[in-house]
Amino acid sequence: MNPRTALVTGGTGGIGSAIVRNLARQGHKVATNYRDATKAEAWRASMAAEGIEVCMVPGDVADPVSAEAMVRAVEQQCGTVEILVNNAGITRDTTFHKMDYQQWTEVVNTNLNACFNVTRPVIEGMRTRRWGRIVQISSINGQKGQYGQANYAAAKAGMHGFTISLAQENAKFGVTVNTVSPGYVATDMVMAVPEEVREKIVAQIPIGRLGKPEEIAHAVAFLTADEASWITGANLAINGGHYMGW
Ligand code: CAA
């Protein structure tokens, strides 16, 4: 395994933490961004207690200026970004007839526009060095839609459109671009869904339980490995059988 520098956006969250942990344990140098310095410090200390040192930089992925500054800070502190995981994401669930413009734009900016904001400053370096791995963390709900998530489903579906275009443009430069689409994973985001709604959702999952963040991180590690050099433009669904589109 060649040690690389990896940037995982939203690394302090549920799935993000598992991705950071997995990549770090393989010997990669891992960076993530934060917006709240106090929370970030507590998270950094808990990772350090596990023996994982994370390079932490301030930055808001929804803002192009902040995102570019974040990438430059990672480059200075940890090295050029060779693996990028666009993982940061938020929900503002409500049925569309009640949705306001802010709920729409916050979700589209953080989940989809962030892919432009963070990937644009790293892509030229990856092409020049003839090696790169980019993974979008999308969602089952970008594939199947979800009652109450017109904003989120639109943004998450857009992420895979981004993946398959970038995959074509960068294939001959040794840069692979893939999507991972998690189903319902036991994170704060999913636990915020009202319990009675969540129970109905879990009842639709053939494997019969929520996913574990480590089960998503495992797929990201697979797709970002040197050996995954012939996988590009794929959308890997990891959802306990909840949605089996092909
Ligand atoms: N299909 C059909 N009808 C549905 C439905 C569904 N899937 N879900 C709810 N409804 C119906 C209800 O039965 C109810 O019907 P009645 O009025 O006839 O009783 C009605 O919709 C409720 O509609 P309201 O607009 O009043 O609902 P609300 O404002 O109280 O809440 C909601 C709506 C916010 C969407 C709530 O149902 C909810 O939180 N749903 C879960 C959304 C979800 O799955 N979010 C995922 C978050 S985690 C994540 O996003 C991670 C990931 O990638 C998977």
Side-chain angles (χ1 to χ4, degrees), residues 51-132:
I52 295 170
E53 293 301 332
V54 186
C55 171
M56 304 210 45
V57 296
D60 179 355
V61 297
D63 171 27
V65 175
S66 175
E68 176 158 16
M70 169 190 94
V71 168
R72 300 303 167 223
V74 171
E75 287 171 347
Q76 281 196 338
Q77 292 174 36
C78 333
T80 48
V81 177
E82 297 166 289
I83 296 172
L84 170 63
V85 185
N86 281 312
N87 165 74
I90 59 166
T91 54
R92 297 286 182 266
D93 292 356
T94 184
T95 43
F96 185 67
H97 63 277
K98 295 181 191 164
M99 189 178 291
D100 63 30
Y101 186 65
Q102 189 175 350
Q103 290 166 321
W104 175 266
T105 48
E106 281 180 1
V107 167
V108 172
N109 284 339
T110 303
N111 296 10
L112 178 60
N113 290 340
C115 292
F116 173 85
N117 299 338
V118 182
T119 310
R120 185 65 186 83
V122 306
I123 193 72
E124 283 171 81
M126 289 181 178
R127 286 163 66 98
T128 304
R129 292 187 302 275
R130 296 286 197 274
W131 198 92

Side-chain angles (χ1 to χ4, degrees), residues 91 93-95 97-98 138-141 146-149 152 182-184 189-190 193-194 197 201:
T91 54
D93 292 356
T94 184
T95 43
H97 63 277
K98 295 181 191 164
S138 178
S139 166
I140 184 176
N141 293 341
Q146 171 61 32
Y147 195 103
Q149 286 201 309
Y152 186 85
Y184 284 74
M189 184 186 273
V190 166
V193 172
V197 177
I201 291 170

